[in-house]
Amino acid sequence: MEIKIKDGKVSRVFGGIDAPMTPIAIQARTIANLLPLVCQRIGADIVHNQDSLYTGIRFNTKVGPVVLEIPQAGGFYRLVHEYDEPDATGKTGKVIHQIPQLYKPSGIALNASEYLRTRGFLG
């Protein structure tokens, strides 16, 4: 499933009709299609967050949501553990893992899923 967040409103994106066709959105779909079954079972959603300016894959883990953010240009793929409420400093998440861009989409999907599995995020 794909969702879009804009102006604080969450809406479902229906594939082919109003889905973004940017290179980053296409890359997020490719990685999501290559995720192992254990990640798909917990509910992996593609998120286009226009408020926080990222596109990524959100995993609904047993310890809270984790987002694999797709980099805009350069940089790393980042796994961010999102908080329910902002902390005292105003942060809404913590980077827990970074994946370099030298991997193919299948490698990124495997790396992210293995990190979540071995650290106890997946039940």
mmCIF file with all atom_site columns, all heavy atoms in Angstrom, residues 101-122:
data_model
loop_
_atom_site.group_PDB
_atom_site.id
_atom_site.type_symbol
_atom_site.label_atom_id
_atom_site.label_alt_id
_atom_site.label_comp_id
_atom_site.label_asym_id
_atom_site.label_entity_id
_atom_site.label_seq_id
_atom_site.pdbx_PDB_ins_code
_atom_site.Cartn_x
_atom_site.Cartn_y
_atom_site.Cartn_z
_atom_site.occupancy
_atom_site.B_iso_or_equiv
_atom_site.pdbx_formal_charge
_atom_site.auth_seq_id
_atom_site.auth_comp_id
_atom_site.auth_asym_id
_atom_site.auth_atom_id
_atom_site.pdbx_PDB_model_num
ATOM 1   N N   . GLN A 1 101 ? 24.952 3.545   -0.858  1.00 0.00 ? 101 GLN A N   1
ATOM 2   C CA  . GLN A 1 101 ? 24.250 3.424   -2.131  1.00 0.00 ? 101 GLN A CA  1
ATOM 3   C C   . GLN A 1 101 ? 24.915 2.457   -3.101  1.00 0.00 ? 101 GLN A C   1
ATOM 4   O O   . GLN A 1 101 ? 24.454 2.320   -4.222  1.00 0.00 ? 101 GLN A O   1
ATOM 5   C CB  . GLN A 1 101 ? 24.122 4.790   -2.799  1.00 0.00 ? 101 GLN A CB  1
ATOM 6   C CG  . GLN A 1 101 ? 23.098 5.670   -2.174  1.00 0.00 ? 101 GLN A CG  1
ATOM 7   C CD  . GLN A 1 101 ? 22.745 6.832   -3.064  1.00 0.00 ? 101 GLN A CD  1
ATOM 8   O OE1 . GLN A 1 101 ? 22.934 6.791   -4.265  1.00 0.00 ? 101 GLN A OE1 1
ATOM 9   N NE2 . GLN A 1 101 ? 22.242 7.895   -2.464  1.00 0.00 ? 101 GLN A NE2 1
ATOM 10  N N   . LEU A 1 102 ? 25.958 1.775   -2.713  1.00 0.00 ? 102 LEU A N   1
ATOM 11  C CA  . LEU A 1 102 ? 26.640 0.900   -3.656  1.00 0.00 ? 102 LEU A CA  1
ATOM 12  C C   . LEU A 1 102 ? 25.906 -0.412  -3.881  1.00 0.00 ? 102 LEU A C   1
ATOM 13  O O   . LEU A 1 102 ? 26.265 -1.188  -4.755  1.00 0.00 ? 102 LEU A O   1
ATOM 14  C CB  . LEU A 1 102 ? 28.077 0.622   -3.209  1.00 0.00 ? 102 LEU A CB  1
ATOM 15  C CG  . LEU A 1 102 ? 28.285 0.026   -1.810  1.00 0.00 ? 102 LEU A CG  1
ATOM 16  C CD1 . LEU A 1 102 ? 28.491 -1.460  -1.903  1.00 0.00 ? 102 LEU A CD1 1
ATOM 17  C CD2 . LEU A 1 102 ? 29.493 0.686   -1.200  1.00 0.00 ? 102 LEU A CD2 1
ATOM 18  N N   . TYR A 1 103 ? 24.829 -0.681  -3.129  1.00 0.00 ? 103 TYR A N   1
ATOM 19  C CA  . TYR A 1 103 ? 24.063 -1.921  -3.285  1.00 0.00 ? 103 TYR A CA  1
ATOM 20  C C   . TYR A 1 103 ? 22.952 -1.762  -4.316  1.00 0.00 ? 103 TYR A C   1
ATOM 21  O O   . TYR A 1 103 ? 22.405 -0.679  -4.501  1.00 0.00 ? 103 TYR A O   1
ATOM 22  C CB  . TYR A 1 103 ? 23.437 -2.352  -1.957  1.00 0.00 ? 103 TYR A CB  1
ATOM 23  C CG  . TYR A 1 103 ? 24.441 -2.738  -0.914  1.00 0.00 ? 103 TYR A CG  1
ATOM 24  C CD1 . TYR A 1 103 ? 24.740 -1.894  0.143   1.00 0.00 ? 103 TYR A CD1 1
ATOM 25  C CD2 . TYR A 1 103 ? 25.098 -3.955  -0.987  1.00 0.00 ? 103 TYR A CD2 1
ATOM 26  C CE1 . TYR A 1 103 ? 25.658 -2.249  1.103   1.00 0.00 ? 103 TYR A CE1 1
ATOM 27  C CE2 . TYR A 1 103 ? 26.026 -4.324  -0.031  1.00 0.00 ? 103 TYR A CE2 1
ATOM 28  C CZ  . TYR A 1 103 ? 26.300 -3.463  1.009   1.00 0.00 ? 103 TYR A CZ  1
ATOM 29  O OH  . TYR A 1 103 ? 27.219 -3.812  1.956   1.00 0.00 ? 103 TYR A OH  1
ATOM 30  N N   . LYS A 1 104 ? 22.593 -2.879  -4.946  1.00 0.00 ? 104 LYS A N   1
ATOM 31  C CA  . LYS A 1 104 ? 21.429 -2.922  -5.821  1.00 0.00 ? 104 LYS A CA  1
ATOM 32  C C   . LYS A 1 104 ? 20.182 -2.940  -4.946  1.00 0.00 ? 104 LYS A C   1
ATOM 33  O O   . LYS A 1 104 ? 20.267 -3.179  -3.739  1.00 0.00 ? 104 LYS A O   1
ATOM 34  C CB  . LYS A 1 104 ? 21.481 -4.173  -6.693  1.00 0.00 ? 104 LYS A CB  1
ATOM 35  C CG  . LYS A 1 104 ? 22.617 -4.172  -7.675  1.00 0.00 ? 104 LYS A CG  1
ATOM 36  C CD  . LYS A 1 104 ? 22.602 -5.441  -8.493  1.00 0.00 ? 104 LYS A CD  1
ATOM 37  C CE  . LYS A 1 104 ? 23.754 -5.437  -9.476  1.00 0.00 ? 104 LYS A CE  1
ATOM 38  N NZ  . LYS A 1 104 ? 23.799 -6.670  -10.285 1.00 0.00 ? 104 LYS A NZ  1
ATOM 39  N N   . PRO A 1 105 ? 18.997 -2.716  -5.525  1.00 0.00 ? 105 PRO A N   1
ATOM 40  C CA  . PRO A 1 105 ? 17.771 -2.722  -4.714  1.00 0.00 ? 105 PRO A CA  1
ATOM 41  C C   . PRO A 1 105 ? 17.567 -4.005  -3.912  1.00 0.00 ? 105 PRO A C   1
ATOM 42  O O   . PRO A 1 105 ? 17.105 -3.961  -2.769  1.00 0.00 ? 105 PRO A O   1
ATOM 43  C CB  . PRO A 1 105 ? 16.659 -2.534  -5.752  1.00 0.00 ? 105 PRO A CB  1
ATOM 44  C CG  . PRO A 1 105 ? 17.314 -1.757  -6.831  1.00 0.00 ? 105 PRO A CG  1
ATOM 45  C CD  . PRO A 1 105 ? 18.726 -2.262  -6.895  1.00 0.00 ? 105 PRO A CD  1
ATOM 46  N N   . SER A 1 106 ? 17.928 -5.157  -4.472  1.00 0.00 ? 106 SER A N   1
ATOM 47  C CA  . SER A 1 106 ? 17.768 -6.407  -3.720  1.00 0.00 ? 106 SER A CA  1
ATOM 48  C C   . SER A 1 106 ? 18.689 -6.444  -2.503  1.00 0.00 ? 106 SER A C   1
ATOM 49  O O   . SER A 1 106 ? 18.312 -6.952  -1.446  1.00 0.00 ? 106 SER A O   1
ATOM 50  C CB  . SER A 1 106 ? 18.032 -7.612  -4.620  1.00 0.00 ? 106 SER A CB  1
ATOM 51  O OG  . SER A 1 106 ? 19.334 -7.547  -5.163  1.00 0.00 ? 106 SER A OG  1
ATOM 52  N N   . GLY A 1 107 ? 19.890 -5.886  -2.621  1.00 0.00 ? 107 GLY A N   1
ATOM 53  C CA  . GLY A 1 107 ? 20.822 -5.826  -1.500  1.00 0.00 ? 107 GLY A CA  1
ATOM 54  C C   . GLY A 1 107 ? 20.348 -4.881  -0.417  1.00 0.00 ? 107 GLY A C   1
ATOM 55  O O   . GLY A 1 107 ? 20.531 -5.144  0.776   1.00 0.00 ? 107 GLY A O   1
ATOM 56  N N   . ILE A 1 108 ? 19.738 -3.776  -0.826  1.00 0.00 ? 108 ILE A N   1
ATOM 57  C CA  . ILE A 1 108 ? 19.212 -2.818  0.148   1.00 0.00 ? 108 ILE A CA  1
ATOM 58  C C   . ILE A 1 108 ? 18.041 -3.444  0.912   1.00 0.00 ? 108 ILE A C   1
ATOM 59  O O   . ILE A 1 108 ? 17.948 -3.327  2.133   1.00 0.00 ? 108 ILE A O   1
ATOM 60  C CB  . ILE A 1 108 ? 18.795 -1.518  -0.553  1.00 0.00 ? 108 ILE A CB  1
ATOM 61  C CG1 . ILE A 1 108 ? 20.034 -0.837  -1.134  1.00 0.00 ? 108 ILE A CG1 1
ATOM 62  C CG2 . ILE A 1 108 ? 18.059 -0.588  0.396   1.00 0.00 ? 108 ILE A CG2 1
ATOM 63  C CD1 . ILE A 1 108 ? 19.750 0.187   -2.170  1.00 0.00 ? 108 ILE A CD1 1
ATOM 64  N N   . ALA A 1 109 ? 17.163 -4.135  0.195   1.00 0.00 ? 109 ALA A N   1
ATOM 65  C CA  . ALA A 1 109 ? 16.026 -4.787  0.838   1.00 0.00 ? 109 ALA A CA  1
ATOM 66  C C   . ALA A 1 109 ? 16.506 -5.845  1.834   1.00 0.00 ? 109 ALA A C   1
ATOM 67  O O   . ALA A 1 109 ? 16.010 -5.918  2.962   1.00 0.00 ? 109 ALA A O   1
ATOM 68  C CB  . ALA A 1 109 ? 15.124 -5.417  -0.221  1.00 0.00 ? 109 ALA A CB  1
ATOM 69  N N   . LEU A 1 110 ? 17.478 -6.650  1.438   1.00 0.00 ? 110 LEU A N   1
ATOM 70  C CA  . LEU A 1 110 ? 17.997 -7.692  2.322   1.00 0.00 ? 110 LEU A CA  1
ATOM 71  C C   . LEU A 1 110 ? 18.725 -7.097  3.522   1.00 0.00 ? 110 LEU A C   1
ATOM 72  O O   . LEU A 1 110 ? 18.542 -7.544  4.657   1.00 0.00 ? 110 LEU A O   1
ATOM 73  C CB  . LEU A 1 110 ? 18.926 -8.622  1.553   1.00 0.00 ? 110 LEU A CB  1
ATOM 74  C CG  . LEU A 1 110 ? 19.512 -9.776  2.355   1.00 0.00 ? 110 LEU A CG  1
ATOM 75  C CD1 . LEU A 1 110 ? 18.411 -10.712 2.819   1.00 0.00 ? 110 LEU A CD1 1
ATOM 76  C CD2 . LEU A 1 110 ? 20.536 -10.530 1.543   1.00 0.00 ? 110 LEU A CD2 1
ATOM 77  N N   . ASN A 1 111 ? 19.549 -6.075  3.291   1.00 0.00 ? 111 ASN A N   1
ATOM 78  C CA  . ASN A 1 111 ? 20.300 -5.438  4.367   1.00 0.00 ? 111 ASN A CA  1
ATOM 79  C C   . ASN A 1 111 ? 19.347 -4.851  5.406   1.00 0.00 ? 111 ASN A C   1
ATOM 80  O O   . ASN A 1 111 ? 19.526 -5.048  6.617   1.00 0.00 ? 111 ASN A O   1
ATOM 81  C CB  . ASN A 1 111 ? 21.206 -4.357  3.777   1.00 0.00 ? 111 ASN A CB  1
ATOM 82  C CG  . ASN A 1 111 ? 22.228 -3.832  4.748   1.00 0.00 ? 111 ASN A CG  1
ATOM 83  O OD1 . ASN A 1 111 ? 21.951 -3.660  5.920   1.00 0.00 ? 111 ASN A OD1 1
ATOM 84  N ND2 . ASN A 1 111 ? 23.413 -3.548  4.245   1.00 0.00 ? 111 ASN A ND2 1
ATOM 85  N N   . ALA A 1 112 ? 18.322 -4.132  4.949   1.00 0.00 ? 112 ALA A N   1
ATOM 86  C CA  . ALA A 1 112 ? 17.371 -3.513  5.871   1.00 0.00 ? 112 ALA A CA  1
ATOM 87  C C   . ALA A 1 112 ? 16.597 -4.575  6.657   1.00 0.00 ? 112 ALA A C   1
ATOM 88  O O   . ALA A 1 112 ? 16.441 -4.465  7.877   1.00 0.00 ? 112 ALA A O   1
ATOM 89  C CB  . ALA A 1 112 ? 16.408 -2.616  5.113   1.00 0.00 ? 112 ALA A CB  1
ATOM 90  N N   . SER A 1 113 ? 16.142 -5.602  5.967   1.00 0.00 ? 113 SER A N   1
ATOM 91  C CA  . SER A 1 113 ? 15.348 -6.623  6.648   1.00 0.00 ? 113 SER A CA  1
ATOM 92  C C   . SER A 1 113 ? 16.188 -7.430  7.643   1.00 0.00 ? 113 SER A C   1
ATOM 93  O O   . SER A 1 113 ? 15.717 -7.752  8.734   1.00 0.00 ? 113 SER A O   1
ATOM 94  C CB  . SER A 1 113 ? 14.689 -7.558  5.645   1.00 0.00 ? 113 SER A CB  1
ATOM 95  O OG  . SER A 1 113 ? 15.653 -8.319  4.963   1.00 0.00 ? 113 SER A OG  1
ATOM 96  N N   . GLU A 1 114 ? 17.421 -7.736  7.288   1.00 0.00 ? 114 GLU A N   1
ATOM 97  C CA  . GLU A 1 114 ? 18.282 -8.475  8.215   1.00 0.00 ? 114 GLU A CA  1
ATOM 98  C C   . GLU A 1 114 ? 18.638 -7.632  9.434   1.00 0.00 ? 114 GLU A C   1
ATOM 99  O O   . GLU A 1 114 ? 18.724 -8.143  10.544  1.00 0.00 ? 114 GLU A O   1
ATOM 100 C CB  . GLU A 1 114 ? 19.562 -8.938  7.506   1.00 0.00 ? 114 GLU A CB  1
ATOM 101 C CG  . GLU A 1 114 ? 19.364 -10.165 6.657   1.00 0.00 ? 114 GLU A CG  1
ATOM 102 C CD  . GLU A 1 114 ? 18.895 -11.352 7.477   1.00 0.00 ? 114 GLU A CD  1
ATOM 103 O OE1 . GLU A 1 114 ? 19.596 -11.766 8.423   1.00 0.00 ? 114 GLU A OE1 1
ATOM 104 O OE2 . GLU A 1 114 ? 17.804 -11.871 7.167   1.00 0.00 ? 114 GLU A OE2 1
ATOM 105 N N   . TYR A 1 115 ? 18.845 -6.342  9.238   1.00 0.00 ? 115 TYR A N   1
ATOM 106 C CA  . TYR A 1 115 ? 19.117 -5.474  10.388  1.00 0.00 ? 115 TYR A CA  1
ATOM 107 C C   . TYR A 1 115 ? 17.921 -5.484  11.339  1.00 0.00 ? 115 TYR A C   1
ATOM 108 O O   . TYR A 1 115 ? 18.078 -5.627  12.555  1.00 0.00 ? 115 TYR A O   1
ATOM 109 C CB  . TYR A 1 115 ? 19.429 -4.048  9.935   1.00 0.00 ? 115 TYR A CB  1
ATOM 110 C CG  . TYR A 1 115 ? 19.760 -3.152  11.093  1.00 0.00 ? 115 TYR A CG  1
ATOM 111 C CD1 . TYR A 1 115 ? 21.050 -3.079  11.584  1.00 0.00 ? 115 TYR A CD1 1
ATOM 112 C CD2 . TYR A 1 115 ? 18.780 -2.404  11.731  1.00 0.00 ? 115 TYR A CD2 1
ATOM 113 C CE1 . TYR A 1 115 ? 21.364 -2.282  12.676  1.00 0.00 ? 115 TYR A CE1 1
ATOM 114 C CE2 . TYR A 1 115 ? 19.074 -1.611  12.822  1.00 0.00 ? 115 TYR A CE2 1
ATOM 115 C CZ  . TYR A 1 115 ? 20.373 -1.552  13.282  1.00 0.00 ? 115 TYR A CZ  1
ATOM 116 O OH  . TYR A 1 115 ? 20.662 -0.768  14.370  1.00 0.00 ? 115 TYR A OH  1
ATOM 117 N N   . LEU A 1 116 ? 16.721 -5.325  10.794  1.00 0.00 ? 116 LEU A N   1
ATOM 118 C CA  . LEU A 1 116 ? 15.525 -5.313  11.642  1.00 0.00 ? 116 LEU A CA  1
ATOM 119 C C   . LEU A 1 116 ? 15.312 -6.664  12.324  1.00 0.00 ? 116 LEU A C   1
ATOM 120 O O   . LEU A 1 116 ? 14.934 -6.729  13.494  1.00 0.00 ? 116 LEU A O   1
ATOM 121 C CB  . LEU A 1 116 ? 14.300 -4.939  10.808  1.00 0.00 ? 116 LEU A CB  1
ATOM 122 C CG  . LEU A 1 116 ? 14.276 -3.519  10.252  1.00 0.00 ? 116 LEU A CG  1
ATOM 123 C CD1 . LEU A 1 116 ? 13.078 -3.326  9.345   1.00 0.00 ? 116 LEU A CD1 1
ATOM 124 C CD2 . LEU A 1 116 ? 14.270 -2.492  11.367  1.00 0.00 ? 116 LEU A CD2 1
ATOM 125 N N   . ARG A 1 117 ? 15.555 -7.748  11.598  1.00 0.00 ? 117 ARG A N   1
ATOM 126 C CA  . ARG A 1 117 ? 15.349 -9.082  12.165  1.00 0.00 ? 117 ARG A CA  1
ATOM 127 C C   . ARG A 1 117 ? 16.341 -9.387  13.278  1.00 0.00 ? 117 ARG A C   1
ATOM 128 O O   . ARG A 1 117 ? 15.966 -9.863  14.352  1.00 0.00 ? 117 ARG A O   1
ATOM 129 C CB  . ARG A 1 117 ? 15.471 -10.140 11.082  1.00 0.00 ? 117 ARG A CB  1
ATOM 130 C CG  . ARG A 1 117 ? 15.112 -11.541 11.545  1.00 0.00 ? 117 ARG A CG  1
ATOM 131 C CD  . ARG A 1 117 ? 15.366 -12.583 10.472  1.00 0.00 ? 117 ARG A CD  1
ATOM 132 N NE  . ARG A 1 117 ? 16.779 -12.681 10.126  1.00 0.00 ? 117 ARG A NE  1
ATOM 133 C CZ  . ARG A 1 117 ? 17.692 -13.372 10.839  1.00 0.00 ? 117 ARG A CZ  1
ATOM 134 N NH1 . ARG A 1 117 ? 17.330 -13.987 11.941  1.00 0.00 ? 117 ARG A NH1 1
ATOM 135 N NH2 . ARG A 1 117 ? 18.944 -13.413 10.456  1.00 0.00 ? 117 ARG A NH2 1
ATOM 136 N N   . THR A 1 118 ? 17.622 -9.088  13.061  1.00 0.00 ? 118 THR A N   1
ATOM 137 C CA  . THR A 1 118 ? 18.639 -9.425  14.056  1.00 0.00 ? 118 THR A CA  1
ATOM 138 C C   . THR A 1 118 ? 18.626 -8.510  15.269  1.00 0.00 ? 118 THR A C   1
ATOM 139 O O   . THR A 1 118 ? 19.159 -8.873  16.307  1.00 0.00 ? 118 THR A O   1
ATOM 140 C CB  . THR A 1 118 ? 20.047 -9.408  13.433  1.00 0.00 ? 118 THR A CB  1
ATOM 141 O OG1 . THR A 1 118 ? 20.313 -8.118  12.876  1.00 0.00 ? 118 THR A OG1 1
ATOM 142 C CG2 . THR A 1 118 ? 20.178 -10.468 12.351  1.00 0.00 ? 118 THR A CG2 1
ATOM 143 N N   . ARG A 1 119 ? 18.015 -7.352  15.175  1.00 0.00 ? 119 ARG A N   1
ATOM 144 C CA  . ARG A 1 119 ? 17.950 -6.431  16.320  1.00 0.00 ? 119 ARG A CA  1
ATOM 145 C C   . ARG A 1 119 ? 16.632 -6.537  17.085  1.00 0.00 ? 119 ARG A C   1
ATOM 146 O O   . ARG A 1 119 ? 16.371 -5.763  17.984  1.00 0.00 ? 119 ARG A O   1
ATOM 147 C CB  . ARG A 1 119 ? 18.124 -4.982  15.862  1.00 0.00 ? 119 ARG A CB  1
ATOM 148 C CG  . ARG A 1 119 ? 19.431 -4.625  15.152  1.00 0.00 ? 119 ARG A CG  1
ATOM 149 C CD  . ARG A 1 119 ? 20.657 -5.179  15.814  1.00 0.00 ? 119 ARG A CD  1
ATOM 150 N NE  . ARG A 1 119 ? 21.901 -4.686  15.304  1.00 0.00 ? 119 ARG A NE  1
ATOM 151 C CZ  . ARG A 1 119 ? 22.564 -5.136  14.247  1.00 0.00 ? 119 ARG A CZ  1
ATOM 152 N NH1 . ARG A 1 119 ? 22.057 -6.105  13.520  1.00 0.00 ? 119 ARG A NH1 1
ATOM 153 N NH2 . ARG A 1 119 ? 23.736 -4.654  13.898  1.00 0.00 ? 119 ARG A NH2 1
ATOM 154 N N   . GLY A 1 120 ? 15.781 -7.487  16.699  1.00 0.00 ? 120 GLY A N   1
ATOM 155 C CA  . GLY A 1 120 ? 14.547 -7.712  17.449  1.00 0.00 ? 120 GLY A CA  1
ATOM 156 C C   . GLY A 1 120 ? 13.379 -6.836  17.081  1.00 0.00 ? 120 GLY A C   1
ATOM 157 O O   . GLY A 1 120 ? 12.384 -6.791  17.821  1.00 0.00 ? 120 GLY A O   1
ATOM 158 N N   . PHE A 1 121 ? 13.450 -6.137  15.960  1.00 0.00 ? 121 PHE A N   1
ATOM 159 C CA  . PHE A 1 121 ? 12.313 -5.302  15.548  1.00 0.00 ? 121 PHE A CA  1
ATOM 160 C C   . PHE A 1 121 ? 11.182 -6.125  14.968  1.00 0.00 ? 121 PHE A C   1
ATOM 161 O O   . PHE A 1 121 ? 10.024 -5.761  15.070  1.00 0.00 ? 121 PHE A O   1
ATOM 162 C CB  . PHE A 1 121 ? 12.763 -4.260  14.506  1.00 0.00 ? 121 PHE A CB  1
ATOM 163 C CG  . PHE A 1 121 ? 13.524 -3.113  15.086  1.00 0.00 ? 121 PHE A CG  1
ATOM 164 C CD1 . PHE A 1 121 ? 14.907 -3.169  15.191  1.00 0.00 ? 121 PHE A CD1 1
ATOM 165 C CD2 . PHE A 1 121 ? 12.880 -1.985  15.535  1.00 0.00 ? 121 PHE A CD2 1
ATOM 166 C CE1 . PHE A 1 121 ? 15.618 -2.116  15.727  1.00 0.00 ? 121 PHE A CE1 1
ATOM 167 C CE2 . PHE A 1 121 ? 13.576 -0.929  16.071  1.00 0.00 ? 121 PHE A CE2 1
ATOM 168 C CZ  . PHE A 1 121 ? 14.954 -0.995  16.178  1.00 0.00 ? 121 PHE A CZ  1
ATOM 169 N N   . LEU A 1 122 ? 11.525 -7.231  14.326  1.00 0.00 ? 122 LEU A N   1
ATOM 170 C CA  . LEU A 1 122 ? 10.508 -8.087  13.714  1.00 0.00 ? 122 LEU A CA  1
ATOM 171 C C   . LEU A 1 122 ? 10.140 -9.199  14.676  1.00 0.00 ? 122 LEU A C   1
ATOM 172 O O   . LEU A 1 122 ? 11.001 -9.784  15.321  1.00 0.00 ? 122 LEU A O   1
ATOM 173 C CB  . LEU A 1 122 ? 11.030 -8.677  12.399  1.00 0.00 ? 122 LEU A CB  1
ATOM 174 C CG  . LEU A 1 122 ? 11.533 -7.675  11.375  1.00 0.00 ? 122 LEU A CG  1
ATOM 175 C CD1 . LEU A 1 122 ? 12.060 -8.384  10.155  1.00 0.00 ? 122 LEU A CD1 1
ATOM 176 C CD2 . LEU A 1 122 ? 10.437 -6.695  11.001  1.00 0.00 ? 122 LEU A CD2 1
#
